[in-house]
Amino acid sequence: MATKSETNSALISIIASVFIFLALVSVTNASASHEEEADRILALPGQPEVSFHQFSGYVTVSEAAGRALFYWLTEAVHQPSSKPLVIWLNGGPGCSSVAYGASEEIGPFRINKEASGLYLNKYSWNKFANLLFLETPAGVGFSYSNMSSDLFDTGDRRTAEDSLQFLIRWMDRFPRYKNRPIYLTGESYAGHYVPQLAREIVHYNTKTKHKINLKGFMVGNAVTDNYYDNLGTVNYWWSHAMISDKTYHQLMNTCDFRRQKESNQCESVYYYAMDQEFGSIDQYNIYAPPCNKSDATATATATGPTRRDMHLPHRPHSIFRKLRGYDPCTEQYAEIYYNRPDVQKALHANTTGRIPYKWTACSETLNRNWNESDNSILPIYRELIAAGLRIWVFSGDVDAVVPVTATRYSLAQLKLDTTVPWYPWYVDKQVGGWSEVYKGLTFATVRGAGHEVPLFKPKAALELLRSFLRGEPLPKS
């Protein structure tokens, strides 16, 4: 039997251990809080006054290579602690979530035509969620690597792995988000990034006690499967009278849509269609007027070549996947605004001034040198449907780059049972698009929207987010 003295000693030892533990927790939290505060944005140049909090900065994902990814967090307008975290990725590959997602689509601000300041987006997704914009992989936007070879040797796998490391380390910096419901969203080539990152998270969760609370993902006009995407694209061109019967049959007969590099004969037909038959249209919204350079304050000299100047093939997906997203001149405003030293300082971006190139909306270097790409994302869909994630796919129906026909052909290969048959859904008593709910996946079109759905149909896109987060079908009336 222990003596009174021994009992007291044991009690003192336990109390001391508790105090040490609490002190360590306090130091850890203080450190996290210090890191978080260092990333706080006080105000961006020309920014209107807002009530929500913003943070931005870098998270190192590889110490050996010196790779660091840039993020921008805009918290929810009301009760952010009760709202989920929505992570947004843009595609390309090589395009910036700051340039597109944050500044043209779902973020709280838009850049004015003079690139002198910002104005509010009344359909910002931070009405319903905390928004985290991630520039991935290294070399996109403000994200960087100290190994220049990384820009010539990257692909899907490293992008997914680095994005997972970012998320793990970012949540250490922002511990209040560790148990928060998380949803991944994005568009275009993020049709690869988003499901691939979701799979990385699901696999990571099987190996750790500190699980990431991933609930689901949503992608728009998403690159999904080489063969069916390309087949659907050519069919869209023909069915929307963009190409002649002769060119359509030549493409169908000479192109092998499964190949990553097409034959010279196929490419010559493709470029003939673009140069001689498409005419001066914006392929990212075939019914919208293209940007008139004389109307844009920013010029090609100031900002680099525009998308229509470049005509770059999207290498991983053969000649039918061109670089970048929609450009009604807004990209040009972004390229002036985010190259301003005062803007970079406010964002804690390029803090050392050692990034050896200008900030651009998309990296031509990354796009041209993308060296590893999944031929099909459909096997990942099957795996993640089985894992019970909430999965939504939406498609603006006037996009000719990753058109609705491509997405429908691809999703049809999943052979899912229908739970809610095809129906029109509504916004402001108007048909917003059409939807069908399958066992494990919801598909929706957005009527009259181009490649960047939230840019063309912001109210409809906000309804998409609201219904997705609630896990409810889109409204039938």
Side-chain angles (χ1 to χ4, degrees), residues 117-388:
L118 308 171
Y119 61 96
L120 290 175
N121 168 25
K122 67 179 180 178
Y123 299 111
S124 173
W125 284 14
N126 76 334
K127 290 181 181 294
F128 297 141
N130 301 285
L131 302 181
L132 178 60
F133 299 97
L134 173 60
E135 295 196 308
T136 188
V140 171
F142 291 120
S143 296
Y144 66 87
S145 174
N146 290 335
M147 289 182 62
S148 58
S149 60
D150 278 349
L151 306 187
F152 298 89
D153 181 30
T154 194
D156 286 10
R157 187 173 296 109
R158 185 196 291 160
T159 300
E161 291 169 353
D162 280 2
S163 297
L164 173 64
Q165 283 303 309
F166 166 87
L167 188 53
I168 293 167
R169 297 180 183 193
W170 184 87
M171 287 193 295
D172 285 339
R173 188 175 301 180
F174 291 83
R176 65 179 181 275
Y177 282 98
K178 283 194 172 182
N179 296 314
R180 201 76 62 91
I182 292 174
Y183 297 91
L184 307 179
T185 58
E187 69 188 17
S188 194
Y189 198 76
H192 278 219
Y193 295 163
V194 167
Q196 288 164 343
L197 175 55
R199 180 177 59 179
E200 288 289 318
I201 292 171
V202 168
H203 291 179
Y204 170 79
N205 283 347
T206 65
K207 305 170 188 175
T208 181
K209 294 179 181 179
H210 307 291
K211 300 184 189 303
I212 296 171
N213 191 18
L214 178 66
K215 296 297 187 182
F217 68 85
M218 179 169 67
V219 289
N221 292 81
V223 176
T224 304
D225 179 276
N226 279 11
Y227 177 75
Y228 292 105
D229 284 358
N230 289 327
L231 178 66
T233 298
V234 172
N235 274 282
Y236 187 91
W237 294 348
W238 178 80
S239 65
H240 285 71
M242 295 169 61
I243 58 174
S244 64
D245 292 354
K246 179 182 177 181
T247 296
Y248 170 74
H249 291 302
Q250 286 180 327
L251 286 169
M252 295 298 287
N253 292 331
T254 62
C255 298
D256 179 355
F257 298 135
R258 287 186 168 86
R259 292 176 60 180
Q260 298 226 352
K261 175 66 176 174
E262 285 291 355
S263 66
N264 290 335
Q265 186 180 8
C266 172
E267 287 200 4
S268 67
V269 177
Y270 166 79
Y271 285 116
Y272 174 84
M274 275 191 56
D275 294 337
Q276 302 299 318
E277 295 187 342
F278 282 10
S280 181
I281 65 166
D282 186 340
Q283 295 173 50
Y284 298 86
N285 182 332
I286 63 173
Y287 301 127
C291 175
N292 183 340
K293 290 179 187 176
S294 64
D295 292 340
T297 300
T299 64
T301 302
T303 63
T306 66
R307 277 171 281 209
R308 285 197 58 82
D309 293 328
M310 298 177 77
H311 287 295
L312 289 176
H314 191 319
R315 290 173 59 87
H317 289 269
S318 85
I319 57 174
F320 298 104
R321 291 287 164 263
K322 291 183 59 196
L323 175 65
R324 306 186 176 186
Y326 176 70
D327 176 18
C329 300
T330 54
E331 174 198 302
Q332 298 183 21
Y333 315 148
E335 293 211 359
I336 292 179
Y337 187 76
Y338 292 116
N339 274 299
R340 286 172 48 177
D342 58 340
V343 173
Q344 293 187 4
K345 183 178 180 180
L347 284 169
H348 319 117
N350 193 20
T351 49
T352 63
R354 290 168 58 191
I355 296 178
Y357 45 80
K358 287 180 63 177
W359 182 94
T360 58
C362 293
S363 167
E364 180 183 345
T365 301
L366 276 174
N367 185 270
R368 286 187 179 277
N369 294 283
W370 201 258
N371 68 5
E372 182 264 321
S373 176
D374 283 343
N375 287 326
S376 179
I377 304 299
L378 295 176
I380 301 179
Y381 274 89
R382 294 186 182 98
E383 179 181 346
L384 298 179
I385 288 169

Side-chain angles (χ1 to χ4, degrees), residues 184-188 190-191 194-195 216-225 229 377-378 381 385 389-396 402-404 406-412 414 416 422 425 434-438 440-446 453 464 468 474:
L184 307 179
T185 58
E187 69 188 17
S188 194
V194 167
F217 68 85
M218 179 169 67
V219 289
N221 292 81
V223 176
T224 304
D225 179 276
D229 284 358
I377 304 299
L378 295 176
Y381 274 89
I385 288 169
L389 292 186
R390 182 182 306 160
I391 301 173
W392 282 39
V393 179
F394 63 90
S395 184
V402 190
V404 63
T407 300
R408 293 181 76 177
Y409 282 167
S410 293
L411 294 182
L414 295 173
L416 301 173
W422 192 267
W425 63 275
W434 290 266
S435 181
E436 190 156 52
V437 181
Y438 306 102
L441 183 146
T442 293
F443 172 66
T445 74
V446 184
V453 167
L464 274 172
F468 168 67
L474 287 156

